[in-house]
């Protein structure tokens, strides 16, 4: 199976990505046990199918080491020259503290060594507390490290529009912000997307398939209790559904999505992902992969084979209009972490 050209996105002048990124939070341990050898073997299946872009973080358990092992096996099997086919986007999520050059450099060196690379394709920076302005110190040092060739592109995750503006106004070049974005959580549309579009910044979206809740598997199902939601993602996005409008409204949404999915001969998840891929400023959607446990490669590839029409959008809007405004309830992108 090969993905069509429309699956690729010019993320930066020197970097293209697959618009569906493979999310590696699912190997952290919060989504069940992952067997390393099986997981790494399965990374080849994703890559070979065209899903060449990985989203990971310093705190996703062994994720950075998995990239390192995958790259080693890849070089042995496919040749070193093909390593440039892999894009691996990590994050740095430091605990609050001084952001001196040695602290920042130490963290980046750790990621470089775990991933077995000399330069990080993308470093996405997270910060917990806006009152603590040392995030600007961290970003300054990260920019220096970028100039020194240790980071190819600098990005953020879960920053709100106000701070994104402050950061870009201070002359720091950010290529993307990774935020929660789905049919249920459309907060990026309020302020973030327009700001990004106007400043040449893109969005990487997570939570788009709601941990798997946005699928046929949950259509017509009674509201699941917490004990039935066995991954950290399912629990996280069930809370989001509760805030958004509750299980009954979510069932209405799933029913409408199923009709649209049947019309296009695709899946409910495909419809939810296609909708977000088509939103302004969105570069890609990250879909979590429980490597070696469950796999949706064939289904997710269908996202690139259809388009939503005006009638589809109208019926989706009919349901979404009944939901609560999460921007008012929670705040801008990432405010749920603060
Ligand atoms: N920056 C941040 O703060 C942040 C936060 C959360 C996530 N992320 C990133 O986003 C990635 C995705 O994580 P997430 O929590 O948002 O999870 P998600 O992508 O919403 O859900 C992943 C789960 O959805 C199910 N799924 C995938 N494709 C499907 C399909 N076609 N049909 C039906 N079910 C399907 C799978 O469930 P099964 O395995 O049960 O089949 C999979 O484990 C993470 O790995 C991470 O890289 C970033």
């Amino acid at each position: 199976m090969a993905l069509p050209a429309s699956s690729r996105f010019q993320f930066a002048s020197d970097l293209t990505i697959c618009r569906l990124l493979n999310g590696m939070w699912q190997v952290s341990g919060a989504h069940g046990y992952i067997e390393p050898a099986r997981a790494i073997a399965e990374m080849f299946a994703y890559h070979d199918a065209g899903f060449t872009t990985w989203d990971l973080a310093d705190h996703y358990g062994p994720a950075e080491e998995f990239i390192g092992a995958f790259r080693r096996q890849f070089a042995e099997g496919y040749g070193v020259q093909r390593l440039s086919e892999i894009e691996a986007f990590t994050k740095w999520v430091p605990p609050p503290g001084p952001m001196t050059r040695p602290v920042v450099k130490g963290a980046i060196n750790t990621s470089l060594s775990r991933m077995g690379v000399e330069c990080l394709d993308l470093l996405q920076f997270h910060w917990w507390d806006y009152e603590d302005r040392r995030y600007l110190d961290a970003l300054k040092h990260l920019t220096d490290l970028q100039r020194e060739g240790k980071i190819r592109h600098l990005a953020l995750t879960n920053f709100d529009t106000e701070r994104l503006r402050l950061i870009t106004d201070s002359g720091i070049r950010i290529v993307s912000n990774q935020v929660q974005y789905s049919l249920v959580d459309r907060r990026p549309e309020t302020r973030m997307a327009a700001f990004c579009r106007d400043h040449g910044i893109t969005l990487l979206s997570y939570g788009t398939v709601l941990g798997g809740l946005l699928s046929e598997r949950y259509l017509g199902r009674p509201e699941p209790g917490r004990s039935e939601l066995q991954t950290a993602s399912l629990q996280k996005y069930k809370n989001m559904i509760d805030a958004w409008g509750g299980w009954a409204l979510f069932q209405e949404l799933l029913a409408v999505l199923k009709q649209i999915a049947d019309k296009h001969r695709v899946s409910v998840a495909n419809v939810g992902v296609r909708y977000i891929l088509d939103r302004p400023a969105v570069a890609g959607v990250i879909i979590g992969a429980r490597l070696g446990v469950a796999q949706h490669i064939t289904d997710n590839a269908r996202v690139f084979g259809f388009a939503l029409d005006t009638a589809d959008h109208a019926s989706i809007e009919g349901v979404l209009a009944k939901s609560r405004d999460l921007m008012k309830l929670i705040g801008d992108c990432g405010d749920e972490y603060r």
Side-chain angles (χ1 to χ4, degrees):
M1 177 184 57
L3 295 180
S6 63
S7 69
R8 302 299 295 181
F9 183 84
Q10 193 76 42
F11 187 70
S13 59
D14 60 349
L15 184 59
T16 66
I17 61 168
C18 178
R19 296 198 75 198
L20 289 191
L21 294 86
N22 312 311
M24 295 185 79
W25 182 31
Q26 279 65 16
V27 308
S28 68
H31 307 251
Y33 176 69
I34 298 292
E35 208 279 299
R38 276 184 69 171
I40 292 155
E42 188 150 281
M43 291 172 80
F44 282 89
Y46 281 84
H47 186 94
D48 292 343
F51 296 92
T52 60
T53 314
W54 301 86
D55 181 73
L56 50 149
D58 60 334
H59 65 295
Y60 289 176
E64 290 186 332
E65 275 104 350
F66 280 12
I67 289 291
F70 174 54
R71 284 174 53 85
R72 276 192 299 281
Q73 291 181 23
F74 190 97
E76 279 162 24
Y78 295 172
V80 180
Q81 70 288 352
R82 281 189 59 191
L83 278 173
S84 59
E85 291 176 10
I86 304 169
E87 302 88 32
F89 293 178
T90 195
K91 306 186 192 81
W92 182 39
V93 184
M99 290 292 121
T100 60
R101 175 165 164 103
V103 168
V104 179
K105 192 176 170 188
I108 297 310
N109 281 342
T110 302
S111 292
L112 288 169
S113 118
R114 286 180 183 164
M115 292 167 67
V117 293
E118 286 177 4
C119 177
L120 302 175
D121 290 330
L122 189 76
L123 190 276
Q124 304 165 98
F125 175 66
H126 175 98
W127 190 251
W128 296 103
D129 177 11
Y130 295 137
E131 297 295 306
D132 181 348
R133 304 253 303 184
R134 288 178 292 188
Y135 65 89
L136 291 169
D137 300 343
L139 284 165
K140 184 199 161 296
H141 294 305
L142 288 169
T143 306
D144 290 343
L145 292 168
Q146 182 178 16
R147 226 174 277 123
E148 291 161 30
K150 290 188 180 246
I151 297 169
R152 210 154 142 197
H153 296 287
L154 191 54
L156 301 171
T157 178
N158 294 316
F159 271 76
D160 68 4
T161 316
E162 188 184 332
R163 274 70 188 197
L164 183 55
R165 180 187 297 280
L166 197 151
I167 290 165
T168 50
D169 282 354
S170 62
I172 295 166
R173 171 72 185 126
I174 296 298
V175 292
S176 60
N177 188 21
Q178 183 179 135
V179 295
Q180 188 177 147
Y181 200 176
S182 68
L183 285 166
V184 164
D185 184 358
R186 295 195 297 164
R187 286 175 294 158
E189 288 180 7
T190 317
R191 299 177 64 194
M192 181 61 70
F195 180 84
C196 287
R197 194 198 47 216
D198 294 348
H199 292 81
I201 298 169
T202 57
L203 293 172
L204 293 176
S205 159
Y206 67 82
T208 309
V209 298
L210 303 169
L213 291 164
L214 200 81
S215 69
E216 285 76 0
R217 221 187 307 169
Y218 288 89
L219 175 63
R221 282 245 318 246
E223 182 163 2
R226 203 175 159 79
S227 61
E228 293 166 71
L229 301 172
Q230 282 168 354
T231 68
S233 295
L234 287 169
Q235 289 163 12
K236 180 182 173 78
Y237 302 118
K238 172 61 167 58
N239 289 340
M240 206 47 81
I241 289 168
D242 293 345
W244 167 80
W247 193 251
L249 186 61
F250 185 62
Q251 284 300 320
E252 264 188 60
L253 177 62
L254 285 181
V256 163
L257 297 181
K258 175 70 174 145
Q259 281 176 7
I260 297 170
D262 286 348
K263 181 173 115 185
H264 295 285
R265 296 178 203 278
V266 296
S267 69
V268 164
N270 292 159
V271 176
V273 172
R274 187 69 257 170
Y275 182 95
I276 298 300
L277 281 177
D278 293 341
R279 304 312 292 167
V282 173
V285 166
I286 307 165
I287 301 185
R290 290 200 292 158
L291 294 170
V293 175
Q295 202 230 68
H296 302 273
I297 289 178
T298 308
D299 187 53
N300 287 332
R302 293 195 184 102
V303 162
F304 300 113
F306 78 105
L308 295 171
D309 60 31
T310 317
D312 301 333
H313 279 281
S315 44
I316 291 171
E317 284 310 316
V319 182
L320 299 188
K322 300 182 204 169
S323 67
R324 292 193 199 104
D325 182 346
L326 291 185
M327 188 80 177
K328 280 200 190 118
L329 210 63
I330 301 175
D332 200 356
C333 300
D335 281 0
E336 63 275 28
Y337 290 100
R338 300 185 175 91

